[in-house]
Amino acid sequence: MRYDDSPPSPESASSVSPERRWFARRSGLAVGAAVLAPTLLAGWVLVQVTTGAGADDARPPRIVMPAASPTTTASASATATPSASAPQAKGPLAGKTVVIDPGHNTGNFQHTSEIDKKVDIGTTRKECDTTGTTTNAGYKEAEFTLDVSRRLRTVLEAKGLKVVLTHEADRAWGPCINERARIGNEAAADAVVSVHADGVSEGSRGYHVILPAKVKGGAADTAKIVGPSRDLGERIGSNFARTTGSAPANYLGSGTGLVVRDDLGGLNLSTQPKVFIECGNMRDAKDAALLTSPEWRQKAAQGIADGIVGFLGG
């Protein structure tokens, strides 16, 4: 049987018998109901999915009416879809905050007078910040540190951790080293990592992690963070080596990849566990080839993240 959905012409409509017209009306109603039923059912299923009906009776249902047109269908679907958000951490990572400090700022080169002004780091006074180094081809350390820090944030947020960056090159220069420390302190960070790359002579290769020395003077008192910072640094170093394939620095640290310093304001003024990592030497051609590789920078971020997560008990 062939169905023709087009309406009859005026000339032919008068010749159709009452029985035929009744049958056509009943068939039209049946077809309409058949078309409407899946839409209503889909709307009911959508309400069950979006409200989690049966799983949380304390929460009022979120009702989404079935769409009447393609335009309203798109609108309803957008309303019913929950917005994407970072996963919630569970277990030992729940409620933890990590502060990532991208070393230097690309704008520091144009603001040398500002960054040369000295600030109090507790034990002495030191320059607000420095320009950082570059590869022989001109790739800035500040570009490297920001890229790795952003990658690191993505990895950590996927674990459900709250991540704060001290800056994202969204300011002309800085921040100063005392402000960088203050950001971590005010965030009550469970771990703080300052990302860097070194700039020493050709042939000097490898990474090293800088740990805070025990210092006390003025606003500086690292007694409480020396121990946990060493734990954090050791975990980052071992995971960084495993993930990137890099070796500990061959020019300091006696092959351990760990160096203790008492002259860095970012460490001296920190009240939270904190380390610096020098990911490689930008002035060595072989290390520079790694540091300028996006694939290697992703490995670097993963290695640092694994160390942080291990430190936090995840």
Side-chain angles (χ1 to χ4, degrees):
M1 180 180 295
R2 184 177 69 85
Y3 291 97
D4 185 355
D5 291 333
S6 61
S9 65
E11 295 78 13
S12 62
S14 59
S15 63
V16 178
S17 66
E19 292 82 1
R20 292 283 299 276
R21 287 195 297 272
W22 175 85
F23 177 79
R25 287 196 300 271
R26 186 180 67 173
S27 299
L29 290 171
V31 171
V35 170
L36 184 58
T39 303
L40 292 173
L41 178 60
W44 179 85
V45 170
L46 186 58
V47 169
Q48 304 306 303
V49 172
T50 58
T51 62
D56 185 357
D57 294 336
R59 181 173 58 187
R62 180 182 178 188
I63 299 174
V64 180
M65 297 302 293
S69 68
T71 301
T72 55
T73 298
S75 177
S77 298
T79 303
T81 303
S83 59
S85 59
Q88 295 298 309
K90 298 179 180 179
L93 298 182
K96 301 290 188 181
T97 298
V98 177
V99 170
I100 304 301
D101 178 30
H104 313 290
N105 183 326
T106 55
N108 285 0
F109 284 91
Q110 286 75 46
H111 294 272
T112 54
S113 61
E114 290 91 343
I115 65 172
D116 282 345
K117 292 179 180 178
K118 293 188 177 181
V119 298
D120 187 359
I121 66 168
T123 55
T124 186
R125 293 182 66 82
K126 200 168 183 180
E127 290 77 9
C128 157
D129 201 2
T130 61
T131 60
T133 188
T134 69
T135 65
N136 292 331
Y139 178 56
K140 294 182 178 70
E141 179 187 357
E143 295 178 79
F144 169 82
T145 63
L146 183 57
D147 181 78
V148 172
S149 295
R150 285 172 169 166
R151 293 170 186 272
L152 177 54
R153 175 176 59 189
T154 298
V155 176
L156 293 174
E157 285 183 340
K159 296 284 187 180
L161 289 162
K162 178 182 178 181
V163 180
V164 176
L165 265 62
T166 59
H167 76 99
E168 290 198 66
D170 48 355
R171 51 192 295 169
W173 52 274
C176 293
I177 53 179
N178 56 343
E179 183 182 349
R180 292 171 187 264
R182 185 168 65 250
I183 292 170
N185 297 344
E186 291 179 350
D190 298 279
V192 186
V193 177
S194 191
V195 180
H196 289 263
D198 216 346
V200 291
S201 60
E202 177 77 28
S204 299
R205 296 196 62 194
Y207 73 89
H208 67 277
V209 180
I210 304 173
L211 313 175
K214 188 174 182 179
V215 298
K216 184 175 177 62
D221 186 355
T222 62
K224 292 182 179 179
I225 70 165
V226 168
S229 295
R230 173 170 284 274
D231 183 17
L232 173 63
E234 288 175 346
R235 290 176 182 274
I236 288 176
S238 61
N239 281 279
F240 187 87
R242 175 181 55 81
T243 305
T244 64
S246 295
N250 62 7
Y251 59 97
L252 77 178
S254 302
T256 65
L258 300 174
V259 177
V260 177
R261 289 178 60 173
D262 63 1
D263 62 329
L264 298 177
L267 295 180
N268 288 4
L269 297 174
S270 181
T271 60
Q272 312 304 121
K274 182 174 182 177
V275 300
F276 282 43
I277 179 166
E278 299 279 1
C279 297
N281 177 20
M282 301 196 87
R283 292 292 182 166
D284 176 79
K286 292 180 180 178
D287 268 11
L290 300 176
L291 297 167
T292 54
S293 162
E295 293 78 16
W296 188 90
R297 293 198 298 270
Q298 186 62 38
K299 292 178 182 179
Q302 185 65 58
I304 298 169
D306 290 345
I308 293 171
V309 170
F311 170 73
L312 297 177

